[in-house]
Amino acid sequence: MFGLFKNRIFRRFKKTEASIHELNYLFWECTTRCNLNCLHCGSDCSKDSSTQDMPLSDFLLALDTIEPKSENLMVVLTGGEPLMRKDIEQCGREIRKHGARWGMVTNGYLYNQDKHNALINAGMGALTISLDGLEINHNWLRNNNNSFARTDSAIALARGSTRLNFDVVTCVNARNIDEIPLIYNYLLSQSVKAWRLFTIVPIGRAANSPDLVLTNQQFKYLLDFISHTRKLKTIDIKFSCEGYVGPYESKVRDTGFFCRAGINIGSVLIDGSISACPNIDRSFVQGNIYTDNFFEVWNTKFQVFRDRKWTKTGRCANCNQYADCQGNGMHNWYGDKANVLVCHNEKINPAG
């Protein structure tokens, strides 16, 4: 009974958050160039991307429409690989001057001591580094034999900085699932304090690699591992916000499942499109900074994210968990949107 009461309270909380829709995270897809060619890339980026990097001045004009800026506003530079930009430190400094904090998501390949010092001096406050296995599996997924060594060096630099809110994120797939405990031991040896894990969703380049998708048994093993490890309190480990996991909700996250895309999370994409998380289907774009006022779009549109009754279709139509799931993570709605791509709860309980 207490669990049902908590669920009702959390549903009201999510509804209130959608109504208030305070913008806390603004992703800037500042480049679609990337120095790696990862098998699981949701963005399908490449080193030779024909799309030009967005000029910093254009993004700053969009950022300046956000008034007043919340002290909680974090601009997250993403791509592609943000470190491909030669002006990345200038981008960070200017974002700080324009009233927002900033962080970055990186594969770590170009992250060295000089770059670390320059980014810290430019005001970087948060950093996420991707690690997708120990050396063999990480290099395989990243399509580069030197990637693990570079990432290992980047992690050592980042975890040594007390000024950084730093975490490691791991894409768990059918090839590296058995070495998750070994990755955990590696992170402990590196004194990493926070670790997020997510799984393959068949979008972007990953749509061509169905062999990377976890089986139902492997997915349950992952959740059991996270649940057990959280009890040890050795590392702040959690499952990502990618989907609703039913009976595991209180075991693998700090709070219940809440896809905040379009509620607290927005993005400016490489072509100026205004959306939520960058990995969400482009059909959900709400406007464009070159023709629209970003903050006006944020405040007056985004209803497709804030009222998700439209997702009650396909396998979600008669689901008895819908009130808590609400169609799973928004990046799971691609193509004709007649059905959600992945139902995480179904993977746990195939007959449910």
Side-chain angles (χ1 to χ4, degrees), residues 37-192:
N37 186 36
C38 305
L39 300 178
H40 64 308
C41 180
S43 303
D44 202 16
C45 296
S46 67
K47 182 188 298 184
D48 302 319
S49 173
S50 60
T51 305
Q52 295 293 313
D53 294 352
M54 178 181 287
L56 170 61
S57 57
D58 293 358
F59 175 73
L60 292 175
L61 287 174
L63 182 62
D64 284 344
T65 67
I66 305 173
E67 291 292 349
K69 289 185 180 66
S70 164
E71 62 182 21
N72 296 321
L73 178 60
M74 170 70 73
V75 174
V76 181
L77 278 60
T78 185
E81 170 52 48
L83 293 179
M84 294 290 285
R85 289 187 66 124
K86 301 298 184 185
D87 65 345
I88 194 70
E89 295 91 347
Q90 181 188 0
C91 291
R93 281 193 299 270
E94 290 301 319
I95 288 169
R96 288 295 291 137
K97 288 179 182 177
H98 286 248
R101 296 176 296 130
W102 74 279
M104 183 173 63
V105 179
T106 177
N107 60 41
Y109 197 88
L110 299 174
Y111 200 93
N112 55 32
Q113 184 70 66
D114 289 342
K115 185 62 67 175
H116 174 73
N117 292 342
L119 292 169
I120 292 294
N121 289 335
M124 181 173 70
L127 181 66
T128 294
I129 297 178
S130 297
L131 175 74
D132 298 316
L134 298 184
E135 186 165 12
I136 292 175
N137 283 330
H138 177 88
N139 288 346
W140 172 79
L141 196 67
R142 296 277 163 179
N143 259 325
N144 186 295
N145 290 333
N146 298 313
S147 182
F148 179 84
R150 297 288 191 94
T151 301
D152 175 69
S153 176
I155 288 172
L157 288 168
R159 55 94 170 165
S161 176
T162 57
R163 290 174 53 187
L164 270 181
N165 182 5
F166 164 61
D167 71 344
V168 167
V169 63
T170 296
C171 174
V172 183
N173 57 78
R175 177 153 170 160
N176 70 9
I177 180 69
D178 291 333
E179 68 177 18
I180 291 299
L182 299 178
I183 300 172
Y184 165 69
N185 289 334
Y186 161 79
L187 294 176
L188 287 184
S189 73
Q190 295 296 306
S191 300
V192 171

Side-chain angles (χ1 to χ4, degrees), residues 183 208 313:
I183 300 172
N208 299 319
T313 185

